[in-house]
Amino acid sequence: MTLPDGADGELMRVLTDFALRVGTPYEVTDALHDLVDDVICVLGVSGAGVSLGDGDTVSFATAVPAEIAAVERAQEEAQSGPCIEAHRTGTSVLVPDLADCPHRWPALTEAPASVGVVAVAGIPVRIEDNRLGALDLYDRRRRDWDREVVEAATVLAGLAASYIANASRVDRLRHTAEQLQEALNGRVLIEQAKGILAGERGITVDQAFEQLRAHARRNGASLRSIADAVVTLGLRP
């Protein structure tokens, strides 16, 4: 079974949306939820989800439609299934019909049947050698997962990886920016405290700084906290 009519246009739209979104702040959960909606449109599957890995342990992050979450949850609880294997091995696990392999994932038998899932595919989500999880595809009919479908799914899995990696990078940059701002704010306080002590005591700012630092060390406190107390609370070390 090949891609549905119009899939190329849908894939281009998804790539364009990604290019527009990735340069702006976004919640990774929202981005992944939107992506699995797009996966259904592009690939013509009945449902899709994204599972995220922490080492070899996998947890599902999002799935649509809602009943597909039962299949994702069954794999998460058993830590067994096509999507778990895709994450752990780093290779796609393609199952045209779960009925063909009833003993491979015993814990997965009941949940798919309850929502009418027949075919499952796990596509690894990774960046180079870093395993991030799996893009999970579900269909309510037998599906042979031909090369064209798998290639398109791999591109979409790459987008999932990029969303996750970019969000992590943005978080790190934001944390770094906050640390830098904190350092700048601390510097201002310290300069103010030095000026106060130097002016009141008729000493140099270097001597005032040494007094601040010595007091901080004696009391096991940060230099910034002592400077803040000098400026705002009237502390005189």
Side-chain angles (χ1 to χ4, degrees), residues 2-198:
T2 58
L3 293 170
D5 292 340
D8 289 344
E10 284 294 321
L11 183 56
M12 184 58 66
R13 176 188 61 76
V14 173
L15 292 172
T16 301
D17 287 348
F18 168 78
L20 293 173
R21 176 178 236 160
V22 78
T24 63
Y26 62 87
E27 290 292 333
V28 68
T29 302
D30 293 344
L32 293 178
H33 188 83
D34 291 343
L35 181 62
V36 294
D37 280 334
D38 291 330
V39 167
I40 293 173
C41 292
V42 173
L43 302 181
V45 292
S46 302
V50 173
S51 301
L52 300 179
D54 181 7
D56 283 339
T57 302
V58 179
S59 304
F60 95 89
T62 186
V64 291
E67 58 265 25
I68 290 298
V71 188
E72 293 276 284
R73 196 169 284 113
Q75 294 184 81
E76 177 184 351
E77 290 175 355
Q79 288 299 298
S80 176
C83 307
I84 309 297
E85 285 191 16
H87 166 68
R88 290 176 177 170
T89 64
T91 58
S92 297
V93 178
L94 311 174
V95 185
D97 191 336
L98 284 167
D100 294 340
C101 46
H103 305 299
R104 186 171 178 181
W105 304 290
L108 195 60
T109 303
E110 186 176 339
S114 68
V115 296
V117 167
V118 174
V120 183
I123 310 297
V125 172
R126 63 185 180 183
I127 295 179
E128 297 179 345
D129 293 331
N130 296 315
R131 299 175 297 146
L132 303 178
L135 173 64
D136 314 326
L137 312 177
Y138 302 94
D139 216 330
R140 291 190 170 93
R141 53 185 171 173
R142 179 183 176 87
R143 188 153 187 168
D144 290 326
W145 306 114
D146 59 31
R147 182 178 59 82
E148 189 177 4
V149 171
V150 174
E151 287 177 351
T154 301
V155 170
L156 294 166
L159 294 189
S162 297
Y163 276 128
I164 296 165
N166 188 66
S168 177
R169 181 182 65 84
V170 169
D171 284 345
R172 289 198 301 271
L173 289 175
R174 185 181 298 119
H175 183 60
T176 299
E178 289 171 353
Q179 288 181 319
L180 289 174
Q181 189 58 52
E182 189 75 9
L184 290 174
N185 293 341
R187 184 196 68 189
V188 171
L189 277 173
I190 292 167
E191 291 299 320
Q192 289 176 333
K194 285 161 57 177
I196 290 171
L197 294 182

Side-chain angles (χ1 to χ4, degrees), residues 200-222:
E200 290 181 353
R201 297 175 177 176
I203 58 178
T204 68
V205 291
D206 287 340
Q207 290 171 325
F209 178 71
E210 287 304 322
Q211 290 181 3
L212 288 170
R213 185 160 58 179
H215 188 80
R217 287 174 175 170
R218 284 196 302 270
N219 292 276
S222 70

